[in-house]
Amino acid sequence: MKTQVGIIGGGPSGLLLSQLLHLRGIDNVILERRSRDYVLGRIRAGVLEHGFADLMREAECGARMDAEGEIHDGFYIAHNGIKERIDLNGLTGGNSVVVYGQTELTRDLYEARDKMGGNIIHNAEDVKPHDMTSDAPYLTYRSGGEIKRIDCDYIIGADGFHGVSRKSIPSDKIKEFERIYPFGWLGILSRTKPVSPELIYAKHERGFALCSMRSQQLSRYYIQVPLDNTVDDWSDGQFWDELKMRLPTEVSAGLITGPSIEKSIAPLRSFVAEPMRYGNMFLAGDAAHIVPPTGARGLNSAASDIYYLFHALLDHYKKGDDSGLDGYSEKALARVWKAQRFSWWMTTLLHSFPSNSDFDNHLQQTDLEYLFSSKSAMASLAENYVGLPF
Ligand code: APR
Ligand code: PHB
């Protein structure tokens, strides 16, 4: 088989790029290791910055997001028994975010790909990129015991943190930067009305908590837990009790609890791989960078990579101009590092760090007091949360 762009990974990054390229007449194939049901079974983030929402519309995948997603003009930070609002709209001159689950967004992208006859090969085993530094790179994969080959002009590694693309780059050609946090987030999904119409990020000495949602009937809550905890350590009852303790009483009094329909623990990690290019293979999304979820940047950083990559490929195929491809890694990384800084900062501001000294805790408290005493500090938070310009 031959195509122009061979994409490894059918998560949001790969699907969005595939859809955008196809709409502009650029042929592409996605190789996805898992089944579609598996990909759609993963519960991930749920906050989209407006630039991402625009990209979904450009990809002709925005209809359900616009109908069912909720526009949020602000969110709360709870601390010391009170909650204070970050007015995203007022502080950014009219910007906001869209609350719409990654699962739904992925479903919309799959549906759009199906409608256009997009080529997505599921259950592709042993995917490997070859000859990345040549003008004739290709991909191989195994399907039903047979090895198949796809020749292409470019390979896109959109296969997430554990994918094969980044790992196929010789170690002396890539540098990795990493921070692992000494805790994880235990998350549950429950068919209950969210406790608040806007998200609440809560700092508490027992640990961080987050009240989020997927819709007005579906809530998503998280609590910070030690790294060695497993989901079996937490019954639904224990989860709700702990969550209540970490929220101001005015909030916990209104919390509607119910059975969890999903429960999982995610470790927190900051990670960047540089550069995001090796020959004619380009990395995008989680394949190249991971943020702790506190600033809701993960999916959004993937979207900005796709935006840059889409325009770079468009310039190559439509104008014979390779400057976008040549500048991709540098441009994408500049924004990625800003998302890293913000995510690290929000995480540091709001979590309990077991190794913190009294001095560290005092600084953390002062950081919060400063935030709510300064319109500029709040505006800086808001500008990062709604997404820096592409
Ligand atoms: N071969 C083929 N596909 C693979 C391989 C492989 N060796 N390894 C992983 N994949 C697939 C995964 O099964 C997954 O469906 O690549 C896809 C990668 O998807 P994601 O992990 O969702 O990454 P990405 O598309 O970059 O999405 C951005 O950022 O913070 C997160 O929650 C956010 O998941 C979102 C991500
Ligand atoms: C979520 O709803 O899953 C969510 C929302 C905001 C975050 C992280 C996760 O910062």
Side-chain angles (χ1 to χ4, degrees):
M1 196 196 294
K2 194 162 171 38
T3 189
Q4 288 173 300
V5 181
I7 301 172
I8 312 177
S13 299
L15 288 167
L16 182 58
L17 182 65
S18 168
Q19 176 72 3
L20 289 164
L21 291 175
H22 196 149
L23 282 167
R24 301 302 289 269
I26 299 170
D27 193 53
N28 66 83
V29 175
I30 294 180
L31 289 179
E32 166 58 52
R33 184 164 59 138
R34 303 284 191 174
S35 68
R36 181 174 301 201
D37 285 347
Y38 183 94
V39 174
L40 289 174
R42 294 188 289 226
I43 306 293
R44 297 262 184 93
V47 175
L48 312 183
E49 59 188 46
H50 70 109
F52 194 165
D54 284 345
L55 211 51
M56 284 291 285
R57 293 178 193 116
E58 186 174 349
E60 298 181 5
C61 295
R64 204 159 65 95
M65 173 191 77
D66 283 330
E68 296 175 18
E70 286 183 19
I71 293 178
H72 283 215
D73 289 333
F75 66 85
Y76 293 97
I77 292 182
H79 63 101
N80 302 311
I82 54 159
K83 68 186 211 305
E84 297 193 77
R85 187 164 185 265
I86 300 291
D87 174 9
L88 294 175
N89 202 271
L91 291 161
T92 62
N95 251 325
S96 52
V97 292
V98 180
V99 171
Y100 189 62
Q102 180 173 326
T103 312
E104 300 310 311
L105 177 141
T106 310
R107 193 186 305 280
D108 296 344
L109 286 164
Y110 271 130
E111 269 173 25
R113 295 284 51 227
D114 287 348
K115 258 193 214 147
M116 286 177 63
N119 196 351
I120 306 175
I121 298 166
H122 280 281
N123 303 307
E125 293 172 56
D126 268 345
V127 175
K128 284 196 188 91
H130 303 269
D131 291 0
M132 288 94 92
T133 54
S134 81
D135 285 340
Y138 63 99
L139 293 164
T140 55
Y141 67 99
R142 208 156 40 82
S143 170
E146 221 183 304
I147 305 281
K148 306 213 168 158
R149 171 173 169 147
I150 303 178
D151 290 285
C152 46
D153 302 332
Y154 297 107
I155 295 173
I156 307 302
D159 47 353
F161 183 65
H162 298 288
V164 65
S165 55
R166 188 184 70 251
K167 289 179 194 145
S168 304
I169 301 174
S171 57
D172 62 333
K173 298 283 186 248
I174 192 155
K175 185 165 165 56
E176 299 185 346
F177 301 83
E178 184 169 51
R179 166 161 303 188
I180 298 194
Y181 299 84
F183 39 72
W185 279 16
L186 168 63
I188 73 165
L189 198 61
S190 79
R191 259 185 244 292
T192 49
K193 187 175 158 55
V195 68
S196 158
E198 293 183 335
L199 271 63
I200 304 175
Y201 291 80
K203 178 190 185 302
H204 192 276
E205 60 193 22
R206 295 182 67 87
F208 169 79
L210 171 61
C211 307
S212 181
M213 68 201 71
R214 293 291 173 270
S215 70
Q216 282 311 309
Q217 296 80 39
L218 198 56
S219 296
R220 181 76 169 154
Y221 295 102
Y222 297 94
I223 53 171
Q224 172 187 347
V225 294
L227 264 187
D228 58 4
N229 279 198
T230 67
V231 285
D232 297 332
D233 295 328
W234 291 88
S235 67
D236 287 358
Q238 285 169 314
F239 180 93
W240 293 118
D241 287 347
E242 186 61 38
L243 177 65
K244 279 184 194 158
M245 280 192 266
R246 298 183 187 187
L247 298 173
T249 16
E250 56 158 319
V251 179
S252 57
L255 182 73
I256 300 169
T257 63
S260 64
I261 52 174
E262 195 266 356
K263 194 187 279 173
S264 53
I265 295 189
L268 268 66
R269 182 198 300 269
S270 300
F271 174 88
V272 183
E274 289 191 0
M276 288 169 61
R277 173 184 195 170
Y278 178 61
N280 284 318
M281 180 171 80
F282 296 86
L283 302 179
D286 275 19
H289 43 79
I290 299 276
V291 285
T294 326
R297 295 298 80 207
L299 183 56
N300 291 304
S301 296
S304 61
D305 292 351
I306 296 309
Y307 177 88
Y308 295 136
L309 212 39
F310 166 54
H311 285 280
L313 287 165
L314 217 48
D315 285 352
H316 168 81
Y317 284 111
K318 305 292 176 197
K319 300 187 206 151
D321 174 1
D322 281 353
S323 58
L325 287 173
D326 291 339
Y328 166 70
S329 177
E330 198 180 336
K331 202 168 180 180
L333 282 166
R335 193 174 190 274
V336 160
W337 274 108
K338 292 190 187 99
Q340 289 287 340
R341 186 207 66 81
F342 176 64
S343 306
W344 158 84
W345 174 76
M346 278 267 291
T347 302
T348 307
L349 180 73
L350 298 174
H351 287 75
S352 288
F353 285 75
S355 61
N356 260 10
S357 65
D358 289 346
F359 181 83
D360 297 326
N361 288 333
H362 225 300
L363 279 187
Q364 196 185 26
Q365 188 55 38
T366 307
D367 209 352
L368 258 182
E369 279 165 26
Y370 170 63
L371 174 67
F372 288 109
S373 70
S374 158
K375 202 169 170 198
S376 312
M378 280 192 283
S380 167
L381 193 170
E383 140 179 281
N384 280 277
Y385 194 88
V386 299
L388 297 173
F390 282 170

